[in-house]
Amino acid sequence: MKVAQYGTTIVVIHAIAHGLHGLAHEQIPVPLSLFQAVFVGVVILLAPIIAAVLLWTQFYRIGSWLLLYSMAVSIMFGIYNHYIVISPDHVSHVSFVGWGLLFQVTAILTLIVDGLACWISISALKAVPQNEKVL
């Protein structure tokens, strides 16, 4: 199934991009609050993996919805923390030198990848009628 392949591929790219961004967070350091750390762990890292697994099962639509929601919320979280709220996590407070360059690049890259994941999810939901089973 092509959608499962595309969905899984984008989840792997998402994990790499967010993993690199997390590495930059640690190295700079730009610490996360407890709430942010739990949010990142559950919504940004775990939910897309569960969604990718579901794309390969009879729960394909649930996987597509979970991928869409987790990616959309990930985009909102990234925009809010990197571009709206003024904090050490705001891109204007992180240098373009050393690990800061990785932070800056991945702050944008994660938005692009997660946007593409939303598009893949929407395409998947449009591709299969609601009452049709996909195996």
Short mmCIF file of all heavy atoms in Angstrom, two decimals, residues 2-62:
data_model
loop_
_atom_site.label_atom_id
_atom_site.label_comp_id
_atom_site.label_asym_id
_atom_site.label_seq_id
_atom_site.Cartn_x
_atom_site.Cartn_y
_atom_site.Cartn_z
N LYS A 2 0.75 2.07 -1.01
CA LYS A 2 1.61 3.25 -1.17
C LYS A 2 1.47 4.25 -0.03
O LYS A 2 2.46 4.81 0.41
CB LYS A 2 1.30 3.93 -2.50
CG LYS A 2 1.73 3.12 -3.69
CD LYS A 2 2.72 3.91 -4.48
CE LYS A 2 3.06 3.15 -5.74
NZ LYS A 2 4.38 2.61 -5.72
N VAL A 3 0.25 4.47 0.43
CA VAL A 3 0.04 5.46 1.50
C VAL A 3 0.77 5.03 2.77
O VAL A 3 1.38 5.85 3.45
CB VAL A 3 -1.46 5.69 1.75
CG1 VAL A 3 -1.69 6.57 2.95
CG2 VAL A 3 -2.12 6.29 0.52
N ALA A 4 0.73 3.74 3.09
CA ALA A 4 1.44 3.24 4.26
C ALA A 4 2.94 3.45 4.09
O ALA A 4 3.64 3.84 5.04
CB ALA A 4 1.12 1.77 4.51
N GLN A 5 3.44 3.23 2.88
CA GLN A 5 4.86 3.45 2.62
C GLN A 5 5.22 4.93 2.76
O GLN A 5 6.21 5.27 3.41
CB GLN A 5 5.22 2.95 1.22
CG GLN A 5 5.14 1.47 1.08
CD GLN A 5 5.29 1.01 -0.36
OE1 GLN A 5 5.10 1.78 -1.30
NE2 GLN A 5 5.63 -0.25 -0.54
N TYR A 6 4.42 5.80 2.16
CA TYR A 6 4.68 7.24 2.26
C TYR A 6 4.56 7.71 3.71
O TYR A 6 5.38 8.50 4.19
CB TYR A 6 3.70 8.04 1.39
CG TYR A 6 3.84 7.81 -0.10
CD1 TYR A 6 2.73 7.87 -0.92
CD2 TYR A 6 5.07 7.53 -0.67
CE1 TYR A 6 2.84 7.66 -2.29
CE2 TYR A 6 5.19 7.31 -2.03
CZ TYR A 6 4.07 7.38 -2.84
OH TYR A 6 4.19 7.17 -4.18
N GLY A 7 3.53 7.23 4.40
CA GLY A 7 3.33 7.62 5.79
C GLY A 7 4.48 7.18 6.67
O GLY A 7 4.97 7.95 7.50
N THR A 8 4.93 5.95 6.48
CA THR A 8 6.05 5.44 7.26
C THR A 8 7.33 6.20 6.95
O THR A 8 8.09 6.56 7.85
CB THR A 8 6.24 3.93 7.00
OG1 THR A 8 5.02 3.26 7.33
CG2 THR A 8 7.38 3.37 7.82
N THR A 9 7.55 6.48 5.68
CA THR A 9 8.74 7.23 5.28
C THR A 9 8.75 8.62 5.91
O THR A 9 9.77 9.05 6.46
CB THR A 9 8.81 7.35 3.74
OG1 THR A 9 8.87 6.03 3.19
CG2 THR A 9 10.03 8.15 3.30
N ILE A 10 7.61 9.31 5.89
CA ILE A 10 7.58 10.66 6.45
C ILE A 10 7.73 10.61 7.96
O ILE A 10 8.32 11.52 8.56
CB ILE A 10 6.33 11.45 6.00
CG1 ILE A 10 6.55 12.95 6.17
CG2 ILE A 10 5.09 11.01 6.73
CD1 ILE A 10 7.59 13.56 5.27
N VAL A 11 7.24 9.57 8.61
CA VAL A 11 7.42 9.44 10.06
C VAL A 11 8.90 9.23 10.39
O VAL A 11 9.40 9.79 11.37
CB VAL A 11 6.54 8.31 10.64
CG1 VAL A 11 6.95 7.95 12.06
CG2 VAL A 11 5.07 8.72 10.60
N VAL A 12 9.61 8.46 9.58
CA VAL A 12 11.05 8.27 9.80
C VAL A 12 11.79 9.60 9.61
O VAL A 12 12.63 9.98 10.43
CB VAL A 12 11.62 7.18 8.86
CG1 VAL A 12 13.13 7.16 8.89
CG2 VAL A 12 11.05 5.81 9.24
N ILE A 13 11.46 10.34 8.55
CA ILE A 13 12.08 11.65 8.32
C ILE A 13 11.74 12.60 9.46
O ILE A 13 12.60 13.35 9.93
CB ILE A 13 11.66 12.21 6.94
CG1 ILE A 13 12.19 11.31 5.83
CG2 ILE A 13 12.13 13.65 6.78
CD1 ILE A 13 11.59 11.60 4.45
N HIS A 14 10.49 12.58 9.90
CA HIS A 14 10.04 13.39 11.04
C HIS A 14 10.88 13.06 12.28
O HIS A 14 11.35 13.97 12.97
CB HIS A 14 8.55 13.11 11.29
CG HIS A 14 8.04 13.53 12.62
ND1 HIS A 14 7.53 14.78 12.86
CD2 HIS A 14 7.95 12.85 13.79
CE1 HIS A 14 7.14 14.85 14.13
NE2 HIS A 14 7.38 13.69 14.71
N ALA A 15 11.08 11.78 12.56
CA ALA A 15 11.85 11.37 13.73
C ALA A 15 13.30 11.84 13.64
O ALA A 15 13.88 12.30 14.64
CB ALA A 15 11.79 9.85 13.90
N ILE A 16 13.88 11.78 12.46
CA ILE A 16 15.26 12.23 12.27
C ILE A 16 15.35 13.74 12.47
O ILE A 16 16.22 14.23 13.20
CB ILE A 16 15.79 11.82 10.88
CG1 ILE A 16 15.95 10.30 10.81
CG2 ILE A 16 17.12 12.53 10.57
CD1 ILE A 16 16.19 9.75 9.41
N ALA A 17 14.44 14.49 11.83
CA ALA A 17 14.47 15.95 11.94
C ALA A 17 14.26 16.40 13.39
O ALA A 17 15.00 17.26 13.90
CB ALA A 17 13.41 16.58 11.03
N HIS A 18 13.28 15.81 14.05
CA HIS A 18 13.02 16.19 15.44
C HIS A 18 14.11 15.68 16.37
O HIS A 18 14.43 16.33 17.37
CB HIS A 18 11.64 15.69 15.88
CG HIS A 18 10.53 16.56 15.37
ND1 HIS A 18 10.09 17.68 16.04
CD2 HIS A 18 9.79 16.49 14.24
CE1 HIS A 18 9.12 18.25 15.36
NE2 HIS A 18 8.92 17.55 14.25
N GLY A 19 14.70 14.53 16.05
CA GLY A 19 15.83 14.02 16.84
C GLY A 19 17.01 14.97 16.77
O GLY A 19 17.65 15.26 17.79
N LEU A 20 17.32 15.46 15.57
CA LEU A 20 18.42 16.42 15.40
C LEU A 20 18.11 17.73 16.11
O LEU A 20 18.98 18.34 16.73
CB LEU A 20 18.69 16.67 13.92
CG LEU A 20 19.32 15.51 13.16
CD1 LEU A 20 19.34 15.79 11.66
CD2 LEU A 20 20.72 15.23 13.69
N HIS A 21 16.85 18.14 16.05
CA HIS A 21 16.46 19.38 16.75
C HIS A 21 16.60 19.18 18.27
O HIS A 21 17.09 20.07 18.96
CB HIS A 21 15.03 19.78 16.38
CG HIS A 21 14.66 21.12 16.92
ND1 HIS A 21 15.18 22.29 16.40
CD2 HIS A 21 13.85 21.48 17.94
CE1 HIS A 21 14.70 23.31 17.09
NE2 HIS A 21 13.89 22.84 18.04
N GLY A 22 16.19 18.02 18.75
CA GLY A 22 16.35 17.71 20.17
C GLY A 22 17.80 17.68 20.60
O GLY A 22 18.16 18.15 21.70
N LEU A 23 18.66 17.15 19.74
CA LEU A 23 20.10 17.14 20.03
C LEU A 23 20.64 18.56 20.15
O LEU A 23 21.40 18.87 21.07
CB LEU A 23 20.84 16.38 18.92
CG LEU A 23 22.36 16.32 19.03
CD1 LEU A 23 22.77 15.58 20.30
CD2 LEU A 23 22.95 15.64 17.79
N ALA A 24 20.21 19.43 19.24
CA ALA A 24 20.63 20.84 19.33
C ALA A 24 20.12 21.47 20.63
O ALA A 24 20.85 22.22 21.28
CB ALA A 24 20.11 21.61 18.11
N HIS A 25 18.88 21.15 21.00
CA HIS A 25 18.33 21.64 22.27
C HIS A 25 19.24 21.27 23.43
O HIS A 25 19.52 22.09 24.31
CB HIS A 25 16.95 21.03 22.52
CG HIS A 25 15.80 21.91 22.17
ND1 HIS A 25 15.21 22.75 23.07
CD2 HIS A 25 15.13 22.06 21.00
CE1 HIS A 25 14.21 23.39 22.48
NE2 HIS A 25 14.14 22.98 21.21
N GLU A 26 19.69 20.01 23.46
CA GLU A 26 20.53 19.53 24.55
C GLU A 26 21.91 20.18 24.54
O GLU A 26 22.45 20.51 25.59
CB GLU A 26 20.68 18.02 24.47
CG GLU A 26 19.43 17.27 24.84
CD GLU A 26 19.61 15.77 24.74
OE1 GLU A 26 20.77 15.30 24.72
OE2 GLU A 26 18.59 15.07 24.68
N GLN A 27 22.48 20.34 23.38
CA GLN A 27 23.86 20.82 23.27
C GLN A 27 24.00 22.32 23.52
O GLN A 27 25.03 22.77 23.96
CB GLN A 27 24.44 20.47 21.89
CG GLN A 27 24.58 18.98 21.66
CD GLN A 27 25.51 18.33 22.65
OE1 GLN A 27 26.57 18.85 22.98
NE2 GLN A 27 25.11 17.17 23.15
N ILE A 28 22.96 23.11 23.23
CA ILE A 28 23.09 24.58 23.33
C ILE A 28 23.27 25.04 24.78
O ILE A 28 24.18 25.85 25.00
CB ILE A 28 21.91 25.26 22.61
CG1 ILE A 28 22.08 25.03 21.12
CG2 ILE A 28 21.85 26.74 22.93
CD1 ILE A 28 20.93 25.50 20.26
N PRO A 29 22.59 24.73 25.78
CA PRO A 29 21.34 24.01 25.97
C PRO A 29 20.14 24.96 25.98
O PRO A 29 20.22 26.08 26.46
CB PRO A 29 21.49 23.37 27.34
CG PRO A 29 22.34 24.34 28.11
CD PRO A 29 23.24 24.99 27.09
N VAL A 30 19.03 24.43 25.46
CA VAL A 30 17.73 25.09 25.55
C VAL A 30 16.81 24.06 26.20
O VAL A 30 16.27 23.19 25.52
CB VAL A 30 17.19 25.51 24.17
CG1 VAL A 30 15.80 26.10 24.29
CG2 VAL A 30 18.13 26.49 23.48
N PRO A 31 16.69 24.10 27.53
CA PRO A 31 15.91 23.07 28.22
C PRO A 31 14.40 23.20 27.99
O PRO A 31 13.90 24.29 27.71
CB PRO A 31 16.25 23.29 29.70
CG PRO A 31 16.63 24.74 29.78
CD PRO A 31 17.25 25.09 28.45
N LEU A 32 13.73 22.07 28.09
CA LEU A 32 12.27 22.04 28.00
C LEU A 32 11.69 21.93 29.41
O LEU A 32 12.30 21.32 30.28
CB LEU A 32 11.81 20.84 27.19
CG LEU A 32 12.24 20.75 25.72
CD1 LEU A 32 11.74 19.46 25.10
CD2 LEU A 32 11.74 21.95 24.94
N SER A 33 10.50 22.49 29.59
CA SER A 33 9.80 22.30 30.86
C SER A 33 9.33 20.85 30.93
O SER A 33 9.34 20.13 29.92
CB SER A 33 8.60 23.24 30.94
OG SER A 33 7.59 22.83 30.02
N LEU A 34 8.87 20.41 32.07
CA LEU A 34 8.36 19.05 32.22
C LEU A 34 7.18 18.84 31.27
O LEU A 34 7.10 17.82 30.58
CB LEU A 34 7.94 18.78 33.67
CG LEU A 34 7.33 17.40 33.93
CD1 LEU A 34 8.31 16.29 33.55
CD2 LEU A 34 6.89 17.27 35.38
N PHE A 35 6.26 19.80 31.22
CA PHE A 35 5.12 19.69 30.31
C PHE A 35 5.59 19.56 28.87
O PHE A 35 5.11 18.70 28.12
CB PHE A 35 4.18 20.89 30.45
CG PHE A 35 3.12 20.91 29.38
CD1 PHE A 35 2.01 20.07 29.47
CD2 PHE A 35 3.24 21.73 28.27
CE1 PHE A 35 1.03 20.06 28.48
CE2 PHE A 35 2.27 21.73 27.27
CZ PHE A 35 1.17 20.89 27.38
N GLN A 36 6.53 20.40 28.45
CA GLN A 36 7.03 20.36 27.08
C GLN A 36 7.69 19.01 26.78
O GLN A 36 7.50 18.44 25.71
CB GLN A 36 8.02 21.49 26.82
CG GLN A 36 7.40 22.85 26.74
CD GLN A 36 8.45 23.95 26.67
OE1 GLN A 36 9.48 23.89 27.37
NE2 GLN A 36 8.19 24.94 25.84
N ALA A 37 8.47 18.50 27.73
CA ALA A 37 9.17 17.24 27.53
C ALA A 37 8.18 16.08 27.38
O ALA A 37 8.34 15.23 26.49
CB ALA A 37 10.13 16.97 28.69
N VAL A 38 7.14 16.06 28.20
CA VAL A 38 6.12 15.02 28.10
C VAL A 38 5.36 15.16 26.78
O VAL A 38 5.12 14.18 26.08
CB VAL A 38 5.16 15.06 29.31
CG1 VAL A 38 3.96 14.14 29.09
CG2 VAL A 38 5.90 14.68 30.59
N PHE A 39 5.01 16.39 26.42
CA PHE A 39 4.31 16.66 25.17
C PHE A 39 5.13 16.16 23.98
O PHE A 39 4.62 15.46 23.10
CB PHE A 39 4.03 18.16 25.04
CG PHE A 39 3.25 18.51 23.81
CD1 PHE A 39 1.87 18.51 23.83
CD2 PHE A 39 3.90 18.83 22.63
CE1 PHE A 39 1.15 18.81 22.69
CE2 PHE A 39 3.19 19.14 21.49
CZ PHE A 39 1.80 19.13 21.52
N VAL A 40 6.41 16.52 23.96
CA VAL A 40 7.29 16.10 22.86
C VAL A 40 7.37 14.57 22.81
O VAL A 40 7.26 13.96 21.74
CB VAL A 40 8.69 16.73 23.00
CG1 VAL A 40 9.70 16.05 22.08
CG2 VAL A 40 8.63 18.23 22.73
N GLY A 41 7.54 13.94 23.96
CA GLY A 41 7.65 12.49 23.99
C GLY A 41 6.41 11.77 23.50
O GLY A 41 6.50 10.81 22.73
N VAL A 42 5.24 12.26 23.92
CA VAL A 42 3.99 11.57 23.58
C VAL A 42 3.46 11.98 22.21
O VAL A 42 3.20 11.13 21.35
CB VAL A 42 2.92 11.82 24.67
CG1 VAL A 42 1.57 11.25 24.26
CG2 VAL A 42 3.37 11.22 26.00
N VAL A 43 3.29 13.29 21.99
CA VAL A 43 2.62 13.76 20.77
C VAL A 43 3.57 13.83 19.58
O VAL A 43 3.20 13.44 18.47
CB VAL A 43 1.97 15.14 21.02
CG1 VAL A 43 1.35 15.69 19.76
CG2 VAL A 43 0.94 15.05 22.13
N ILE A 44 4.78 14.29 19.79
CA ILE A 44 5.68 14.50 18.66
C ILE A 44 6.50 13.25 18.32
O ILE A 44 6.80 13.02 17.14
CB ILE A 44 6.58 15.73 18.91
CG1 ILE A 44 5.70 16.98 19.01
CG2 ILE A 44 7.65 15.87 17.84
CD1 ILE A 44 6.44 18.26 19.31
N LEU A 45 6.82 12.42 19.30
CA LEU A 45 7.62 11.23 19.01
C LEU A 45 6.80 9.94 18.97
O LEU A 45 6.88 9.19 18.00
CB LEU A 45 8.77 11.11 20.01
CG LEU A 45 9.76 12.28 19.99
CD1 LEU A 45 10.82 12.10 21.06
CD2 LEU A 45 10.41 12.43 18.62
N LEU A 46 6.03 9.66 20.00
CA LEU A 46 5.32 8.38 20.09
C LEU A 46 4.10 8.29 19.16
O LEU A 46 3.93 7.28 18.47
CB LEU A 46 4.90 8.13 21.55
CG LEU A 46 4.26 6.78 21.84
CD1 LEU A 46 5.22 5.65 21.49
CD2 LEU A 46 3.87 6.71 23.31
N ALA A 47 3.26 9.30 19.14
CA ALA A 47 2.03 9.25 18.33
C ALA A 47 2.30 8.98 16.84
O ALA A 47 1.61 8.15 16.24
CB ALA A 47 1.20 10.52 18.53
N PRO A 48 3.29 9.65 16.22
CA PRO A 48 3.53 9.35 14.80
C PRO A 48 4.00 7.91 14.55
O PRO A 48 3.65 7.31 13.53
CB PRO A 48 4.62 10.35 14.39
CG PRO A 48 4.50 11.45 15.38
CD PRO A 48 4.07 10.80 16.66
N ILE A 49 4.74 7.36 15.50
CA ILE A 49 5.19 5.96 15.34
C ILE A 49 3.99 5.03 15.41
O ILE A 49 3.86 4.10 14.59
CB ILE A 49 6.26 5.61 16.41
CG1 ILE A 49 7.54 6.42 16.14
CG2 ILE A 49 6.55 4.12 16.42
CD1 ILE A 49 8.56 6.38 17.26
N ILE A 50 3.11 5.27 16.37
CA ILE A 50 1.89 4.46 16.47
C ILE A 50 1.06 4.61 15.19
O ILE A 50 0.55 3.64 14.65
CB ILE A 50 1.08 4.85 17.71
CG1 ILE A 50 1.85 4.47 18.98
CG2 ILE A 50 -0.30 4.19 17.70
CD1 ILE A 50 1.26 5.05 20.26
N ALA A 51 0.97 5.85 14.69
CA ALA A 51 0.21 6.10 13.46
C ALA A 51 0.80 5.32 12.29
O ALA A 51 0.05 4.71 11.50
CB ALA A 51 0.21 7.60 13.14
N ALA A 52 2.12 5.32 12.16
CA ALA A 52 2.76 4.60 11.06
C ALA A 52 2.47 3.10 11.13
O ALA A 52 2.21 2.46 10.11
CB ALA A 52 4.27 4.85 11.06
N VAL A 53 2.50 2.55 12.33
CA VAL A 53 2.18 1.13 12.49
C VAL A 53 0.73 0.87 12.07
O VAL A 53 0.44 -0.09 11.35
CB VAL A 53 2.43 0.67 13.95
CG1 VAL A 53 1.87 -0.73 14.19
CG2 VAL A 53 3.92 0.72 14.28
N LEU A 54 -0.18 1.73 12.50
CA LEU A 54 -1.60 1.55 12.17
C LEU A 54 -1.87 1.65 10.67
O LEU A 54 -2.81 1.04 10.17
CB LEU A 54 -2.45 2.57 12.92
CG LEU A 54 -2.56 2.36 14.43
CD1 LEU A 54 -3.29 3.54 15.08
CD2 LEU A 54 -3.21 1.05 14.77
N LEU A 55 -1.04 2.42 9.95
CA LEU A 55 -1.23 2.54 8.50
C LEU A 55 -1.09 1.20 7.78
O LEU A 55 -1.63 1.03 6.69
CB LEU A 55 -0.22 3.54 7.91
CG LEU A 55 -0.42 5.00 8.26
CD1 LEU A 55 0.72 5.84 7.68
CD2 LEU A 55 -1.77 5.51 7.76
N TRP A 56 -0.40 0.26 8.38
CA TRP A 56 -0.18 -1.05 7.78
C TRP A 56 -1.23 -2.08 8.21
O TRP A 56 -1.13 -3.24 7.84
CB TRP A 56 1.21 -1.56 8.15
CG TRP A 56 2.29 -0.74 7.54
CD1 TRP A 56 2.95 0.31 8.10
CD2 TRP A 56 2.81 -0.87 6.23
NE1 TRP A 56 3.86 0.84 7.22
CE2 TRP A 56 3.80 0.13 6.07
CE3 TRP A 56 2.55 -1.73 5.16
CZ2 TRP A 56 4.52 0.28 4.88
CZ3 TRP A 56 3.28 -1.58 3.99
CH2 TRP A 56 4.25 -0.58 3.85
N THR A 57 -2.23 -1.65 8.97
CA THR A 57 -3.23 -2.57 9.50
C THR A 57 -4.63 -2.22 8.99
O THR A 57 -4.79 -1.26 8.23
CB THR A 57 -3.25 -2.51 11.05
OG1 THR A 57 -3.84 -1.27 11.47
CG2 THR A 57 -1.86 -2.68 11.64
N GLN A 58 -5.59 -2.96 9.49
CA GLN A 58 -6.99 -2.66 9.15
C GLN A 58 -7.44 -1.35 9.79
O GLN A 58 -8.50 -0.82 9.46
CB GLN A 58 -7.90 -3.79 9.59
CG GLN A 58 -7.96 -3.98 11.09
CD GLN A 58 -8.78 -5.19 11.48
OE1 GLN A 58 -9.25 -5.93 10.63
NE2 GLN A 58 -8.94 -5.39 12.77
N PHE A 59 -6.63 -0.79 10.69
CA PHE A 59 -6.95 0.48 11.35
C PHE A 59 -6.28 1.66 10.63
O PHE A 59 -5.89 2.64 11.24
CB PHE A 59 -6.54 0.42 12.83
CG PHE A 59 -7.19 -0.71 13.56
CD1 PHE A 59 -6.45 -1.81 13.91
CD2 PHE A 59 -8.55 -0.67 13.85
CE1 PHE A 59 -7.05 -2.88 14.57
CE2 PHE A 59 -9.15 -1.73 14.51
CZ PHE A 59 -8.40 -2.84 14.87
N TYR A 60 -6.19 1.50 9.33
CA TYR A 60 -5.55 2.47 8.44
C TYR A 60 -6.09 3.89 8.64
O TYR A 60 -5.33 4.85 8.73
CB TYR A 60 -5.81 1.96 7.02
CG TYR A 60 -5.59 2.91 5.91
CD1 TYR A 60 -4.34 3.00 5.32
CD2 TYR A 60 -6.63 3.69 5.42
CE1 TYR A 60 -4.13 3.86 4.27
CE2 TYR A 60 -6.43 4.56 4.37
CZ TYR A 60 -5.18 4.64 3.79
OH TYR A 60 -4.97 5.49 2.76
N ARG A 61 -7.41 4.05 8.70
CA ARG A 61 -8.00 5.39 8.85
C ARG A 61 -7.64 6.00 10.20
O ARG A 61 -7.36 7.20 10.28
CB ARG A 61 -9.51 5.35 8.66
CG ARG A 61 -9.92 5.09 7.21
CD ARG A 61 -11.39 5.29 6.97
NE ARG A 61 -11.84 6.66 7.17
CZ ARG A 61 -11.66 7.66 6.30
NH1 ARG A 61 -11.03 7.43 5.16
NH2 ARG A 61 -12.12 8.86 6.55
N ILE A 62 -7.66 5.21 11.24
CA ILE A 62 -7.27 5.72 12.57
C ILE A 62 -5.82 6.18 12.52
O ILE A 62 -5.47 7.23 13.06
CB ILE A 62 -7.49 4.65 13.66
CG1 ILE A 62 -8.98 4.35 13.81
CG2 ILE A 62 -6.88 5.09 14.99
CD1 ILE A 62 -9.29 3.14 14.67
#
